[in-house]
Amino acid sequence: MSAAPPAALADPMLPAPWRVRAVRRETADVVTLDLVPLASGVPCFAPGQFNMIYAYGVGEVPVSLSGDPADRSCFVHTVRAVGEVSAAIAGAAPGSVLGLRGPFGSAWPVDAAAGHDLLIVAGGLGLAPLRPAIYRVLARSERFGRIAVLYGGRGPAELLFRDELAVWGARADVTVAVTVDHADPSWHGHVGVVPALIGQIGFDPPNTVALLCGPEVMLRFTATALRAAGVAAERIHLSMERNMKCAIGLCGHCQFGPDFVCQDGPVLRYDRIAARLAVREI
Amino acid sequence: MSPTAPPGPDAQTAPVLLDRAGLQALVDALVARGFDVIGPTLRDGAIVYDRIADLAALPAGWTDRQEAGRYRLERRADAALFGYAVGPQSWKRFLHPPEETLWRARRQDDGFTITPEPPSPAPFAFLGVRACELHAIAIQDRVFLGGAHRDPGYTARRQGAFLVALNCGTAAGTCFCASMGTGPRAESGFDLALTELIDAARHDFLAVAGSEAGAALLAVLPTRPAGPEATAAAEAVLARTEAGMGRHLDTNGLKERLQANPEHPRWDEVAARCLACANCTLVCPTCFCTSVADHTDLAGTEATRVKRWDSCFTADFSFIHGGSVRASGKSRYRQWLTHKLAHWIDQFGSSGCVGCGRCIAWCPVGIDITAEAAAIRAMPGKAVGEGKGGNA
Ligand SMILES: Cc1cc2nc3c(=O)[nH]c(=O)nc-3n(C[C@H](O)[C@H](O)[C@H](O)COP(=O)(O)OP(=O)(O)OC[C@H]3O[C@@H](n4cnc5c(N)ncnc54)[C@H](O)[C@@H]3O)c2cc1C
Ligand code: SF4
Ligand code: SF4
Ligand code: FES
């Protein structure tokens, strides 16, 4: 069991001002921001948790932490510009100020996975919320059995963290497999969907913990493939996405069956949600 | 948690009698103590809760007739002040207002500063809170005060509130509190509880205190001791109300059936009638969902965040990139009913329905929660009944 996620900040609806210290462009529409608080220290967070980020006058949206939990100098967020608020956040210039509430939500069970083979499976932007877990795992990889990172993106140009994937892939203690839906001439790797990678790597299914993040269809197919391979449903953990307005269990927007994804999730155990995940429009 | 919270029936004081002038003295005493006194009034053909200072504002001699999709006021034969069931509004409007500014942000050279909006000044006193409404308030207490994070505005308004309950003397055709275990008797969670006793010979209010604040206030009012006859008359009022309850909801096994039947054909059938107008969620005293909206002034120097009631019946409610999770009317009605009568129990330890009947009366097409629940309950379902997911 990983340590309980740290409690959120005092007034839960009041954003605190954080300054953009650095901006790195990841892809055409994705940037990574380093944020430092103006008035407090950087709180602890657990891999898998998210913050509510506010762009002045525009709005506030949930964004996962994507940095190293051991780095207490800043919060790192990786944001894709898909609409008004995310575009305002992704467009924030170095030195500008954003509002931030959090961290909120449940965590990847990294410590509980010790002693097991570990499959980290990401689709698209889903690699960002998993990156803190990867950092924590790789910091003490001897605690785990075989470790694999499986990652799928639409095309080579949409892949996140390619330099880091190469660095991880060069290590002896982790297998990295990357696939794209549509290749371009520069691509010499796998082509196809992420679940197809599962059969290509060695792991011991009855002794495997899997962490999944990506679009809901990808989660559904990957979980089904893992079950078919013999991974126990209670060792499959996936991060869900729902509309969120408060992140503290008060606004009702994020409900997924009896769960509030903001509090009970975003990381949920597959055996407890498999039935409703199979139903459309829950 | 709240000043009116725990006392059970045994913590209540011995009953006393107030006459009509005594009830006015109660209102006067509350006003004198700085309360914003809210009670039932007549407006636009309905009984709604509003600020009152004088009992003359109460709908004396009126009653309500309610059926699926129907609400109508009628004259009573007497001048009872509380001779009706419930109107379209509930006390939710005051404790959890339809719109609330959360904070203001001011732009500065170097970013911005955010200041929380101060809570509204005067504490509320509510006159005539029905048993189902006491339960609805207790349910919203669990939502807004009982979790890991409290709602600061609700906390402030709720802590200051003084609750004068009223044991119902009339049940509407849409009422089903008796089957939900939420009425018609006000059992706890009030400062004072009244029963209106009216016949040719008298017009009195049997009063008991349910808190120290209630007892202290009662002590300064012009009361008479209530003899066994008055107590028996009050019991008879409650027995008559319970017998007159127009509807019934059988909750036995309902949670499991609802959670096991997301693909029941009845969902399609009700969706064909439901207009997704959200009336049911707005009139419901327990529905708590909100959204937030961000605004800036024209110069862009001040930005505000406003919280507003929202409804699971709207398309925006479940929107995530490119589409709503619950795009169909079927999925929205299913979400509402399943949340109310099933998931709520997993989330907050009780049903989200107190049997007030408002959603039945105020549905423009007369959709009846008791009929919809009964239809699903009648269908045997395999009991998947997933509880909360969590990750522990
Ligand atoms: C737990 C969690 C973690 C997330 N982590 C990341 C991350 O690390 N990086 C990232 O780029 N995005 C992340 N998202 C998605 C991000 O919140 C949405 O892209 C964002 O809300 C879109 O807002 P918009 O106003 O720019 O877009 P619009 O499409 O204009 O959306 C309008 C409104 O709908 C809601 N909304 C739309 N899409 C989503 C969505 N996918 N999830 C929740 N609410 C939505 C928001 O309230 C938004 O303001 C996460 C979402 C959740 C729930
Ligand atoms: S669901 Fe209907 S009957 Fe139940 S508390 Fe809400 S409005 Fe009243
Ligand atoms: S059930 Fe009735 S009140 Fe509720 S959204 Fe549908 S039509 Fe409107
Ligand atoms: S985001 Fe408001 S309840 Fe989860």
Side-chain angles (χ1 to χ4, degrees), chain B residues 168-240:
Chain B
C168 286
T170 320
T174 42
C175 287
F176 57 104
C177 64
S179 60
M180 298 306 287
T182 53
R185 184 193 302 274
E187 283 177 332
S188 64
F190 54 79
D191 294 289
L192 291 175
L194 309 175
T195 311
E196 186 167 25
L197 304 175
I198 187 165
D199 56 36
R202 67 171 154 202
H203 192 184
D204 285 332
F205 300 87
L206 185 95
V208 293
S211 72
E212 280 177 26
L217 193 65
L218 207 50
V220 304
L221 298 179
T223 60
R224 328 191 290 280
E229 185 278 328
T231 316
E235 287 301 316
V237 165
L238 277 167
R240 201 178 54 227

Side-chain angles (χ1 to χ4, degrees), chain A residues 216-279:
Chain A
E216 207 164 304
V217 277
M218 169 266 173
L219 296 179
R220 233 179 264 130
F221 281 115
T222 307
T224 306
L226 289 170
R227 289 290 295 124
V231 179
E234 66 269 23
R235 296 224 186 85
I236 301 173
H237 302 264
L238 32 84
S239 187
M240 295 293 297
E241 233 177 289
R242 280 295 180 270
N243 188 301
M244 292 185 182
K245 294 298 176 198
C246 74
I248 53 175
L250 300 181
C251 79
H253 275 262
C254 66
Q255 289 177 84
F256 174 51
D259 287 310
F260 290 104
V261 173
C262 68
Q263 279 194 324
D264 303 304
V267 180
L268 294 164
R269 243 173 67 174
Y270 182 61
D271 60 320
R272 295 181 177 156
I273 61 167
R276 74 185 98 129
L277 198 59
V279 179

Side-chain angles (χ1 to χ4, degrees), chain B residues 260-281:
Chain B
N261 280 296
E263 304 288 17
H264 195 291
R266 183 76 180 197
W267 299 123
D268 294 301
E269 198 274 326
V270 66
R273 287 176 283 140
C274 174
L275 312 173
C277 67
N279 265 14
C280 48
T281 57

